[in-house]
């Protein structure tokens, strides 16, 4: 039985999360449309800060073997981080810690052993998505 609640999302879903956050950034009590923990594979967040402007613009940039983790479980705040591996993204979503953080209760290695089934299940889902996309691309090329 899986213990993590993270889901793989598409670029369109991630852009919708960012747009929803941007629209409600100045609200006193924002209510995000989608709540939960999400992972976007093969992308990373980049921020552009223009000269003499306080506003930061967040972009999604295609980057192979990189993962963006989104956490909006409380429904009001969207937390985002870039990670080099799926396991590290899941660890952050589950515990709120990065692998290099030190905690007295458990370590990244202990967590990884405990959640091996969840990690493998998400990796299999990711492989199935990529295979499905490749098959669709080959059919498109033949036509």
């Amino acid at each position: 039985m899986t213990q993590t609640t993270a889901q793989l999302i598409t670029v369109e879903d991630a852009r919708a999360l960012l747009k929803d956050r941007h629209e409600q950034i100045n609200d006193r009590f924002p209510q995000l449309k989608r709540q939960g923990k999400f992972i976007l594979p093969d992308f990373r967040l980049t921020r552009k800060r223009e000269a003499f402007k306080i506003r930061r613009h967040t972009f999604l940039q295609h980057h192979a073997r990189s993962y963006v983790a989104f956490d909006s479980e409380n429904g009001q705040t969207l937390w985002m981080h870039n990670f080099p591996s799926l396991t590290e993204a899941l660890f952050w979503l589950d515990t709120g810690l990065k692998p290099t953080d030190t905690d007295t209760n458990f370590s990244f290695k202990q967590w990884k052993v405990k959640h091996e089934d969840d990690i493998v299940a998400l990796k299999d889902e990711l492989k199935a998505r990529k295979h499905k996309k490749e098959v669709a691309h080959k059919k498109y090329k033949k036509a």
Side-chain angles (χ1 to χ4, degrees):
M1 185 173 154
T2 60
Q3 297 173 352
T4 58
T5 58
Q7 302 171 14
L8 294 175
I9 58 173
T10 62
V11 182
E12 292 82 24
D13 296 334
R15 286 193 177 123
L17 282 169
L18 290 172
K19 185 177 180 183
D20 189 26
R21 175 183 167 262
H22 181 72
E23 289 172 353
Q24 298 186 36
I25 199 128
N26 292 326
D27 291 354
R28 182 172 232 156
F29 299 105
Q31 285 294 341
L32 299 173
K33 293 175 186 167
R34 278 186 83 177
Q35 299 175 9
K37 298 178 179 187
F38 310 102
I39 297 176
L40 176 64
D42 295 332
F43 277 85
R44 70 176 179 177
L45 290 171
T46 58
R47 291 195 173 111
K48 178 182 172 189
R49 204 169 175 173
E50 295 179 5
F52 305 111
K53 289 192 178 181
I54 297 171
R55 234 181 247 166
R56 281 184 270 161
H57 303 282
T58 304
F59 300 98
L60 289 171
Q61 183 180 25
H62 185 72
H63 191 266
R65 295 183 188 157
S66 182
Y67 301 87
V68 181
F70 295 95
D71 185 2
S72 65
E73 198 154 65
N74 67 0
Q76 293 184 333
T77 309
L78 180 64
W79 299 98
M80 308 168 275
H81 263 294
N82 292 325
F83 290 98
S85 76
L86 184 63
T87 308
E88 291 179 17
L90 283 171
F91 179 69
W92 178 75
L93 287 173
D94 197 36
T95 63
L97 300 170
K98 292 187 179 178
T100 55
D101 293 343
T102 56
D103 188 39
T104 57
N105 296 333
F106 57 90
S107 68
F108 176 63
K109 289 181 182 179
Q110 292 170 336
W111 180 90
K112 190 175 174 181
V113 170
K114 185 178 177 184
H115 293 84
E116 188 68 33
D117 296 335
D118 297 338
I119 296 166
V120 170
L122 272 176
K123 285 183 178 181
D124 290 343
E125 184 181 338
L126 187 59
K127 287 176 187 175
R129 271 189 179 189
K130 286 188 179 185
H131 180 68
K132 190 176 180 182
K133 192 184 279 187
E134 287 173 1
V135 169
H137 184 67
K138 285 181 182 178
K139 284 183 181 179
Y140 177 75
K141 262 189 158 179
K142 287 182 180 179

